Amino acid sequence: MAKTKGLELPQQRGTFEVKGIVIGTQKEKFATSTKTKTGKDFRSVNFGITFDKNQTLFVGLTGMPQEKVYFSKKGEKGAKPDVKTVDWKDRHTFKNEGYTLIGVNCGLVKTTKDGKEVNDIQRLTPFDACKYIEENLKDGESVYIRGNIEYSHYANQAGELQHNSKLVITQISLCKPVDFEATDFAPDAQFTQPFVFMGISKEESGFLVDAKVVNYATVEDTQFTIENEKLATNFKKNVKPYTALKTWGDIRTLKNTDTVEESTSDDGWGEKNAMDRVTGQYRKTFIITGADPESLDRETFTESLLDKAIETMNANESAKKDFGDGDEDWGGDSKISGEKKNDDDEAW
């Protein structure tokens, strides 16, 4: 396991996969190309994947030019892969047999191989992948996406601490058309996530799990839901606070709405109905459907070690606020500021 910088704890990486229909590529926010404060190029893409009726996840990717890129070749008989370091300017011309770029797998263009139409797979840096997605992705296409779940926190304009999760693309490719009306259709949006268990409580819609996720440089608070009562009971009995474990399950989304009452003045047509006004954001919910009992770890993430890691994190963030951190940390796990962040998924 990779050690976090300054935290001295194993990093807990979450992943997701989703299959659905693309929306949002015609929106202004779909693709952005800009400059950082020091004049460096920066690109991003953000769009939606509708994976069931009224269920949409929003995914994204950001990238900047790097000093170096890395190519990997599989080792023999369980040996570690061999990795070569290549200058940024040579990323498109480096050719060594068996080596592939460590980056984003993209397959949004068709080609013919052995008489069959297949995806033309490209392995690109995040910076190049943003441009590729901008040029080739279209609304209405069915795609399969894999990626990482990134957790962060920030202070809103009122100074209140808010928690956020982003779905960051590591693979995107065309797939067979998704048909929500098909008799054998089933939603395909799943996650895996190791975390440090902090507690579980009964809620009206199920059981709420409080957790902490150790990132590269932060410890993030987050929550999961369990609907299966037997599984929730097992958590209560066998998982104590500060125990780490690996879980998996389904991702669901709910469109946030505000109820607006229409005027009750009598116009001869009786009372008006209450109308739901869409606020323009989706809320992700991670539903735990299973856990690995062999992953239970009661030693690595003790209360004292986590408290020490959080103290280090707070000190680092205080130093960033006092002295600044330039613009080289666009890919960091967390940045507290008073600006309004996207704490839910924008529906535009």
Side-chain angles (χ1 to χ4, degrees):
M1 282 184 171
K3 293 287 186 179
T4 59
K5 184 178 180 181
L7 300 189
E8 298 301 322
L9 288 173
Q11 187 175 353
Q12 297 176 304
R13 297 181 182 273
T15 62
F16 76 94
E17 62 178 41
V18 59
K19 185 186 295 183
I21 299 173
V22 175
I23 66 169
T25 65
Q26 300 303 308
K27 300 294 184 179
E28 183 180 353
K29 292 182 180 180
F30 168 52
T32 301
S33 181
T34 185
K35 298 282 188 179
T36 69
K37 290 180 293 185
T38 56
K40 294 183 178 180
D41 292 322
F42 175 80
R43 292 174 181 166
S44 68
V45 290
N46 296 277
F47 56 93
I49 299 294
T50 300
F51 63 93
D52 197 0
K53 294 179 180 179
N54 303 317
Q55 298 257 7
T56 299
L57 284 174
F58 288 83
V59 299
L61 182 66
T62 63
M64 295 175 62
Q66 305 160 211
E67 184 177 341
K68 303 289 183 180
V69 297
Y70 303 93
F71 286 75
S72 174
K73 181 180 180 179
K74 288 184 179 180
E76 296 182 359
K77 297 181 180 179
K80 291 183 178 181
D82 183 54
V83 177
K84 290 189 178 297
T85 304
V86 176
D87 288 338
W88 174 258
K89 63 181 178 62
D90 299 324
R91 67 193 188 281
H92 297 310
T93 57
F94 175 81
K95 303 291 181 184
N96 272 28
E97 186 177 355
Y99 285 86
T100 56
L101 178 73
I102 299 175
V104 182
N105 291 341
C106 300
L108 298 177
V109 177
K110 291 292 186 180
T111 188
T112 301
K113 183 177 181 180
D114 299 328
K116 295 182 179 180
E117 190 179 54
V118 297
N119 292 335
D120 182 16
I121 302 299
Q122 306 286 323
R123 288 182 172 86
L124 304 170
T125 67
F127 182 75
D128 294 323
C130 286
K131 188 66 174 178
Y132 175 95
I133 293 170
E134 177 186 3
E135 294 175 343
N136 295 290
L137 189 64
K138 301 178 182 63
D139 280 4
E141 289 183 320
S142 294
V143 297
Y144 170 80
I145 295 176
R146 289 178 59 88
N148 298 322
I149 307 172
E150 293 186 357
Y151 301 88
S152 61
H153 62 273
Y154 64 93
N156 63 18
Q157 293 179 344
E160 300 166 332
L161 192 63
Q162 304 292 307
H163 303 282
N164 185 37
S165 64
K166 295 194 303 182
L167 304 182
V168 180
I169 300 166
T170 59
Q171 176 184 338
I172 179 169
S173 54
L174 298 173
C175 65
K176 292 181 179 179
V178 175
D179 181 3
F180 302 139
E181 304 299 332
T183 56
D184 60 347
F185 170 77
D188 190 349
Q190 291 89 35
F191 74 94
T192 63
Q193 181 65 63
F195 59 74
V196 181
F197 176 83
M198 299 303 294
I200 184 170
S201 58
K202 181 74 170 68
E203 301 290 329
E204 184 176 346
S205 59
F207 298 84
L208 194 64
V209 175
D210 291 313
K212 293 183 183 295
V213 174
V214 178
N215 282 339
Y216 177 72
T218 65
V219 179
E220 302 294 343
D221 292 321
T222 189
Q223 293 182 321
F224 300 85
T225 298
I226 297 178
E227 296 178 342
N228 184 311
E229 187 169 356
K230 185 175 180 179
L231 178 61
T233 300
N234 210 11
F235 265 69
K236 285 183 176 181
K237 289 182 177 180
N238 298 307
V239 188
K240 304 299 182 184
Y242 298 97
T243 298
L245 75 163
K246 178 181 178 180
T247 65
W248 53 85
D250 299 325
I251 309 175
R252 295 184 195 159
T253 63
L254 176 67
K255 180 173 284 189
N256 295 329
T257 59
D258 291 334
T259 299
V260 179
E261 295 288 343
E262 294 289 337
S263 171
T264 57
S265 61
D266 188 0
D267 58 4
W269 293 98
E271 295 181 355
K272 302 292 185 181
N273 290 327
M275 301 292 291
D276 283 335
R277 177 171 61 83
V278 176
T279 65
Q281 291 186 331
Y282 287 79
R283 174 166 54 84
K284 293 189 298 290
T285 304
F286 296 93
I287 311 294
I288 297 174
T289 61
D292 181 5
E294 295 185 0
S295 71
L296 290 172
D297 178 358
R298 301 177 176 86
E299 305 296 331
T300 303
F301 301 91
T302 63
E303 182 175 4
S304 60
L305 288 175
L306 270 181
D307 285 346
K308 181 181 178 181
I310 292 170
E311 287 179 6
T312 302
M313 175 188 72
N314 290 338
N316 290 340
E317 290 177 345
S318 178
K320 286 182 180 181
K321 290 178 67 177
D322 291 340
F323 301 106
D325 57 353
D327 57 21
E328 282 74 22
D329 282 337
W330 283 72
D333 292 293
S334 173
K335 185 175 182 180
I336 294 180
S337 76
E339 297 177 357
K340 172 61 179 170
K341 302 283 186 174
N342 177 25
D343 56 334
D344 284 308
D345 291 308
E346 293 287 353
W348 304 306

